[in-house]
Every structure is written in structure tokens, then in C-alpha cells.
Amino acid sequence: MPKTGIHWFRHGLRLHDNPALVACQDEVERFIPIFIFDGKSAGTETCGYVRLRFLLQSLQDLESQFKEHGINFMCFHGEPHTVLENLIKEWEVRVISFEKDSESIWRQRDNLVKEMCARHNVQVIECVSNTLYDPEEVFSLNNNQPPNTCEELRKSCYKIGDPEQPVPKPDLKFIATHLVSTDNLYDPVKHKIPDLEFFDIKPENEKQKECLFVGGETKALDLCKIRIQYEKESFKSGKLNPNLSKPVLFTKEVSLSPYLRFGCLSVRKFYWDLKKVYVKNFNGVKNLYCPVEQLFWREYFYQLSYKNEKFAQVDGNPMCFKIPWDYHGKQDLFLKWETVKKIFYL
């Protein structure tokens, strides 16, 4: 039986700058890329029509890139540790790789998978590529605490140095020609990407049927080139952060947020592309943090949430201060807020 490896896609829905995928490919004789619909991963627990469509389009784009080289991309349904354990037994999988998820809400899911792999003596490859910096390294420089301000994060990052460079895309042609085929494992019905009808999620209105953001790595890289050119022209004219003076949140030619969120575009690639064009084209007084300011804000919130499982709520969240609006049952503070009176609550 050939040494078999699985790369488990979650958020990092791309081939470029995917170090876990590349490491898995280098370790095995048979390579299988998969996605698991568990009702939670990639935001599927609370997503609506638009977000789910974007996810499915992103998976279809991955499938298309693999299929072009004769590689089968497979989808499964169920709890990840159960699905993967069944595949380990059925296909004698020896290596499982995935991108390290920097949100603490996924830690239990990943720990269950790691514990299961340890029981079966399966190698786990987990690499950081969702954030510019490894949260563990940032925490170690901050007394095992999250940075309380973006400035604290910058100080930690300054000690670490520049983020790692993005890794090249895997050689799919090499995988297809040198590794063992998975055609005998692939079931085009059982392993297909489901459509929107499968999830019974419908658009809330007619406008949602319009596809403003087309999901997928291919589209993300095209838009990244347009965005870098947009920034380049701004730098040449002596301006920084053109979005501050001319916001374009809903213009797909320059908006990359959903692609960064789903990992269709590597944040490290975007960082280095932006930094290089800034150094080459901006003639004013250079501050290397300025062109990537918004990326550091993204980084800051990922670092804040890394070990905080209650980051998305108020109750029990150490980052939040809960104001007792219904003070002594009189709603005094709420009424003051409602009538725009000042509240000093320390």
C-alpha cells in the first residue's frame, strides 16, 4: 500500500502559500485533498445564502485546479475526527496536513483530530499561514498574554522581524505524474461538492442573487493584481491608504476582504506584494507599517482571539466590560444612554 497523505482544507482555500499542503505532498506517495462539511467549519453554522455560495465557489475553484492535472478533490460530511479516522482505516492514511487555525473556537476540533492521529500513529503536519505571525510566538513575547493594543502587537512583531515569505504553489503536474493515482478511491457522486439546494438555503431577497463577489483562489489572485496596481498608482502620487479618502467597500475590483477571510488569498502574499510596490514607488518619507496598516489590524484581532474562546460574545469575555444597563431594575443607565446623557462608569 502506498504511503497516503490527506490535506484537509478548512479556511485556507488556496494552493499558493499553503506550506502544510506542500509538506504533505513531499512526504507521501499518494496525495488526497479533501474538505469536510461538519456544519461548523468555514462559518457554515451561521452562514446565509451569499456566504455559502462564496464557499462553494471557492471549493469548485480548487476542484477545477486539481482536476486540470487529473487529481481528485473529495468532499465528506460529518465530524472531522470521525471522518478522518474512517479514512485512516479504509485507505491506510499515514499523514494528515492542515493549516493552523488561529481562532480558538476551532481548538477542540483540531485537538480531537490530533489525539485520534496519535492513537493511529499518523503524522500530523500543521503550518501557520492564516496570519502573518505565529500566535504562539507573539504570545511568548508578551508574557503569554494577547497584545492589548495594536501598538503592543507591532512591538512584538518588530522583535520577530518580517513575516515569512509565502511558499510557492505546489507542482500539481508533479503530483499527477509521480504520485499514485486516487481514481480507484474517488466516487463522483459520494465525493462531489454539494450545491446550494443540498443545504436548503435560499436568498433572502432578489438582490442576493446577484453575485458581487465570486469565490475562489483564481478570482482572488486576479483581484489582488488589480488591487496592487491601484495601490501602486496611489504611492506614485505620494498618497498612502487610498481607501481612507476614497472607500470602495463594495467594488469587487479592489475589495479583498472575503478572499482573505476564506483564505483564497494568502495574507502573507498580499503583505509582501504591497510592501514591495510601496518601497519601489513611494518617494516620500517611508514608514513600512503604513501601507500594511489594515493588515496589522486584521492580525491584531486574530491574535486577540487566539486563546479566547468567548471572543465573539460579551459574557465571560475578558476583553469586554459588561455595562449593567438594568441597574437595580430601573434601567437608569440605559435611559441615560437613550437620552444621550453622559455615562461615566468605571
Side-chain angles (χ1 to χ4, degrees):
M1 181 69 70
K3 184 179 180 181
T4 300
I6 285 175
H7 180 74
W8 172 26
F9 284 95
R10 294 103 67 87
H11 273 112
L13 304 179
R14 64 180 183 276
L15 298 181
H16 75 280
D17 193 26
N18 198 327
L21 188 157
V22 173
C24 180
Q25 166 207 313
D26 291 343
E27 284 281 332
V28 301
E29 299 165 312
R30 183 169 65 180
F31 174 77
I32 308 170
I34 73 168
F35 184 88
I36 302 173
F37 287 93
D38 62 354
K40 296 178 181 178
S41 296
T44 48
E45 185 173 23
T46 57
C47 72
Y49 179 84
V50 175
R51 182 175 181 143
L52 181 59
R53 179 179 60 194
F54 189 94
L55 169 62
L56 297 180
Q57 289 172 340
S58 300
L59 295 176
Q60 289 160 2
D61 182 66
L62 280 174
E63 180 183 52
S64 177
Q65 293 186 72
F66 281 119
K67 192 173 183 179
E68 184 180 348
H69 296 278
I71 302 168
N72 296 304
F73 177 76
M74 308 186 196
C75 287
F76 298 86
H77 300 262
E79 290 295 331
H81 66 280
T82 302
V83 170
L84 291 170
E85 186 167 31
N86 290 337
L87 295 179
I88 287 170
K89 295 175 181 177
E90 183 180 353
W91 295 343
E92 296 186 28
V93 175
R94 306 314 312 151
V95 180
I96 291 178
S97 66
F98 48 85
E99 179 183 69
K100 181 175 182 177
D101 214 314
S102 51
E103 295 175 273
S104 62
I105 56 174
W106 307 117
R107 189 162 294 119
Q108 182 179 8
R109 174 200 63 186
D110 291 353
N111 285 342
L112 285 173
V113 169
K114 292 175 188 176
E115 291 165 6
M116 178 274 297
C117 287
R119 292 196 301 271
H120 292 281
N121 196 29
V122 171
Q123 178 186 358
V124 173
I125 299 175
E126 183 183 29
C127 299
V128 175
S129 52
N130 180 52
T131 51
L132 293 171
Y133 296 91
D134 185 348
E136 287 292 343
E137 191 170 9
V138 172
F139 270 64
S140 68
L141 292 172
N142 205 42
N143 298 318
N144 203 34
Q145 296 292 324
N148 289 319
T149 64
C150 201
E151 185 58 34
E152 278 191 17
L153 172 63
R154 285 198 191 92
K155 289 178 180 178
S156 297
C157 295
Y158 181 78
K159 293 177 183 177
I160 297 170
D162 283 326
E164 291 187 19
Q165 293 275 355
V167 301
K169 290 178 69 171
D171 188 344
L172 297 186
K173 185 177 181 180
F174 175 87
I175 295 175
T177 55
H178 290 80
L179 302 189
V180 177
S181 171
T182 61
D183 287 348
N184 62 318
L185 307 178
Y186 178 66
D187 184 328
V189 176
K190 180 180 177 182
H191 298 140
K192 71 176 182 178
I193 299 171
D195 54 23
L196 285 163
E197 286 71 27
F198 175 87
F199 297 96
D200 195 29
I201 296 179
K202 297 178 174 56
E204 297 175 18
N205 51 58
E206 287 298 313
K207 191 170 181 60
Q208 284 194 349
K209 293 181 180 180
E210 300 175 16
C211 191
L212 182 61
F213 295 103
V214 178
E217 177 183 23
T218 302
K219 188 65 174 177
L221 292 174
D222 288 343
L223 295 182
C224 184
K225 290 179 183 177
I226 295 172
R227 178 70 198 211
I228 293 300
Q229 182 61 33
Y230 176 72
E231 297 282 347
K232 180 180 178 180
E233 292 171 0
S234 177
F235 296 153
K236 282 186 172 182
S237 66
K239 296 178 182 178
L240 295 170
N241 298 327
N243 250 20
L244 293 179
S245 58
K246 195 168 57 174
V248 280
L249 296 177
F250 299 106
T251 304
K252 55 186 176 182
E253 284 78 9
V254 290
S255 294
L256 296 172
S257 293
Y259 301 96
L260 290 168
R261 179 69 183 103
F262 279 86
C264 302
L265 176 65
S266 159
V267 68
R268 299 193 298 195
K269 171 180 169 52
F270 188 35
Y271 173 94
W272 281 106
D273 285 358
L274 191 57
K275 190 169 181 178
K276 287 172 185 175
V277 78
Y278 169 74
V279 170
K280 187 175 181 179
N281 294 280
F282 186 70
N283 294 320
V285 178
K286 288 184 172 62
N287 179 340
L288 294 182
Y289 282 119
C290 284
V292 293
E293 183 75 21
Q294 296 306 310
L295 293 183
F296 268 94
W297 276 108
R298 175 188 186 271
E299 188 80 5
Y300 173 57
F301 286 106
Y302 271 116
Q303 299 288 348
L304 278 180
S305 67
Y306 179 60
K307 292 186 179 181
N308 184 356
E309 293 186 6
K310 298 185 177 181
F311 185 73
Q313 64 189 59
V314 174
D315 290 340
N317 185 350
M319 301 302 300
C320 292
F321 183 81
K322 188 174 181 180
I323 299 175
W325 296 108
D326 192 12
Y327 190 60
H328 289 175
K330 297 179 181 179
Q331 293 192 330
D332 289 352
L333 295 179
F334 181 78
L335 291 172
K336 288 180 179 179
W337 172 81
E338 192 175 37
T339 55
V340 201
K341 293 183 179 178
K342 290 183 179 179
I343 300 174
F344 297 95
Y345 196 91
L346 300 176

